Amino acid sequence: MKEETKTIHFELLGSFSCREAREGTKKSGAGRKALSFLQYMIVNHTRNISSEELIRQFWAEQSNDPANALKNMVFKVRGLLKEMFPDQGDLLVTLPGCYAWNPAVRLELDSEQFERACLGLRKYSGEIYLEKLLGAISLYRGDFLSGNDSGWALSLRRYYQTLYLDLCRMTLPLLQKGERWTEVISICEQAGTVDMSADTFIVYQMQALIAMGHPERAVEVYRSFRELLWQEFEIEPAEQVEQIHILAESMCKNNINGQDILKLVAEGKLDSRAFLCTFSVFQSIVALEKRHLSRSGEQSAIAIVSLGSKVAPTTDARRLERILTEGLRTGDPVARLDAGSYILMLTGATMENAWAVMDRLDRAFHKIYPHSRACISFRVTSLEPDMAGEGK
């Protein structure tokens, strides 16, 4: 009579675990390398794995006797498997020149189940397609072997992350079309933990919050995202994110009546610092100023302020931003161009005045931060009036 095949379910998406394992045994006997070795064997369970491949993967430059190190590792991992599955015989078998899983045992991996669900989506359509998308998303419980930082695990982690993020991008427009806002927010929040810099998920999340009548929460999401982008990558949000943020803020203000709006505009308190804004907003302010100059005959100037190369990028950039926002007038707009440079407009300033301001900012920076190695450079030009807009 044919012996029944035993099935073992391993979960690799998120924390490594096994449904059939004796509780607590996974961590008790496994060092980091032994656990990584076992996980490599599990991931490659469908084939025989040569000794040469295992030595290349785990002892490329770290052992004088890699063949013996491999034998010791296999012995250790077999002991670990015996701890996890005391009722099983040898789960790893030795074959000529290679190792394999005992054919009497079948392994099921949640990562393979997730991959099959992703690759099988193309045969569905309509509502079934959306439900299959959501089903596949639910299988992703975390990054592949999140505690394993070996090179082989990292490459697979990126592969499964890509599959997951693509799933989310395919699902969100369908949920949005069906006005399933709560699900949109849930997916965006989870996807954001996988790729914190992805604008797509912030856009959908903010749109969903606005649709649900929570523009103030959309503004909070924007501010957190903007701060994270600058801290981690020293970049600004995409234009679409900025546009939705402007919409959310305007909706927050529209919750008050007309009389209150007039009062807010006429009596609202201004920030005492210069106006720090995005580059697109800066462009709009400059365009308005050029029209104003064509009527008034006054002068204004544009300046680019840059840090030198011998700087601490994030630290000195934040220092420079502070000097600009606190050292300029309230009505002077400032926008970040990149990690180490800013553009600003000096309203009503001649070129002589503008260079005097630049000199003052430079002296203020080095007085407040005397140990900084930053060598600040300035480029100043006068703002030309928009004569085409005259008389409009």
Side-chain angles (χ1 to χ4, degrees):
M1 185 174 180
K2 187 177 179 181
E3 186 177 350
E4 183 181 353
T5 302
K6 167 74 174 179
T7 299
I8 299 177
H9 303 267
F10 282 104
E11 296 179 352
L12 310 184
L13 296 175
S15 299
F16 172 63
S17 63
C18 176
R19 297 180 201 170
E20 291 80 11
R22 176 184 290 174
E23 188 174 353
T25 58
K26 174 174 71 69
K27 295 181 180 179
S28 62
R32 184 181 294 272
K33 190 166 186 175
L35 188 58
S36 181
F37 186 95
L38 172 59
Q39 291 167 345
Y40 188 84
M41 298 298 294
I42 291 170
V43 169
N44 295 282
H45 68 97
T46 58
R47 62 186 180 89
N48 298 343
I49 308 173
S50 70
S51 300
E52 289 79 6
E53 177 183 338
L54 292 169
I55 289 172
R56 186 170 60 252
Q57 191 65 247
F58 290 93
W59 293 278
E61 301 174 353
Q62 299 176 357
S63 176
N64 295 325
D65 189 0
N68 190 54
L70 172 59
K71 289 179 182 178
N72 289 336
M73 179 62 76
V74 172
F75 178 80
K76 185 182 297 185
V77 168
R78 280 178 173 149
L80 176 60
L81 287 170
K82 196 64 180 176
E83 277 189 66
M84 296 172 71
F85 310 102
D87 299 331
Q88 296 294 320
D90 285 340
L91 291 174
L92 284 181
V93 297
T94 304
L95 301 174
C98 63
Y99 298 90
W101 286 88
N102 190 323
V105 175
R106 185 171 70 92
L107 271 59
E108 285 189 351
L109 313 185
D110 64 341
S111 54
E112 293 178 344
Q113 182 186 6
F114 172 70
E115 183 180 33
R116 287 194 299 270
C118 293
L119 300 180
L121 286 168
R122 65 189 67 179
K123 61 185 178 182
Y124 299 103
S125 61
E127 281 297 318
I128 296 178
Y129 175 62
L130 175 55
E131 295 311 312
K132 290 293 182 181
L133 282 169
L134 292 171
I137 286 174
S138 70
L139 296 174
Y140 193 89
R141 298 181 182 89
D143 288 339
F144 178 82
L145 293 176
S146 57
N148 189 336
D149 293 329
S150 303
W152 70 267
L154 291 175
S155 61
L156 283 171
R157 187 174 305 155
R158 286 190 289 270
Y159 168 69
Y160 288 113
Q161 285 176 337
T162 300
L163 284 181
Y164 170 71
L165 293 172
D166 286 346
L167 272 182
C168 294
R169 292 186 180 97
M170 291 186 290
T171 305
L172 288 170
L174 300 178
L175 291 176
Q176 187 182 62
K177 184 178 180 181
E179 299 184 4
R180 295 165 66 167
W181 305 120
T182 302
E183 290 168 281
V184 168
I185 293 170
S186 176
I187 289 175
C188 289
E189 289 177 343
Q190 181 60 34
T193 66
V194 177
D195 186 355
M196 65 180 69
S197 65
D199 295 314
T200 300
F201 306 120
I202 293 299
V203 166
Y204 276 102
Q205 186 177 0
M206 292 173 67
Q207 288 174 334
L209 289 168
I210 290 171
M212 294 174 71
H214 302 300
E216 68 288 343
R217 286 178 55 194
V219 171
E220 291 173 8
V221 167
Y222 165 82
R223 288 173 179 168
S224 298
F225 179 66
R226 189 175 189 272
E227 181 67 21
L228 183 147
L229 278 188
W230 180 246
Q231 287 182 347
E232 297 293 329
F233 309 105
E234 296 184 349
I235 59 175
E236 296 282 3
E239 182 66 24
Q240 189 178 11
V241 177
E242 297 288 359
Q243 291 172 351
I244 298 173
H245 169 236
I246 292 171
L247 171 63
E249 285 212 316
S250 68
M251 291 182 68
C252 290
K253 293 176 182 178
N254 283 340
N255 287 332
I256 57 180
N257 61 42
Q259 187 61 38
D260 288 336
I261 291 175
L262 290 173
K263 186 176 180 180
L264 178 66
V265 172
E267 302 177 7
K269 292 183 179 179
L270 293 174
D271 193 330
S272 60
R273 301 177 301 173
F275 178 54
L276 183 65
C277 58
T278 64
F279 183 70
S280 61
V281 172
F282 181 87
Q283 286 179 303
S284 299
I285 294 173
V286 170
L288 288 173
E289 178 63 11
K290 290 172 71 174
R291 290 193 173 195
H292 169 71
L293 295 179
S294 69
R295 294 178 174 86
S296 67
E298 297 175 356
Q299 299 183 60
S300 290
I302 297 287
I304 293 178
V305 185
S306 302
L307 295 166
S309 57
K310 296 181 179 180
V311 297
T314 302
T315 302
D316 280 319
R318 289 192 176 279
R319 289 170 173 173
L320 178 58
E321 184 174 300
R322 177 190 169 191
I323 293 297
L324 294 176
T325 55
E326 294 182 0
L328 296 171
R329 298 167 299 178
T330 301
D332 294 334
V334 181
R336 187 183 295 123
L337 291 177
D338 54 40
S341 62
Y342 291 79
I343 187 168
L344 56 96
M345 182 173 72
L346 300 172
T347 309
T350 63
M351 288 291 288
E352 183 181 355
N353 296 147
W355 279 113
V357 172
M358 297 303 104
D359 182 63
R360 176 168 55 81
L361 293 173
D362 186 51
R363 285 188 281 106
F365 184 94
H366 291 290
K367 181 179 179 180
I368 297 175
Y369 307 110
H371 301 296
S372 172
R373 300 176 65 188
C375 181
I376 303 175
S377 61
F378 304 94
R379 292 164 58 192
V380 182
T381 185
S382 60
L383 187 63
E384 297 298 324
D386 179 13
M387 303 309 295
E390 191 174 4
K392 290 184 180 179

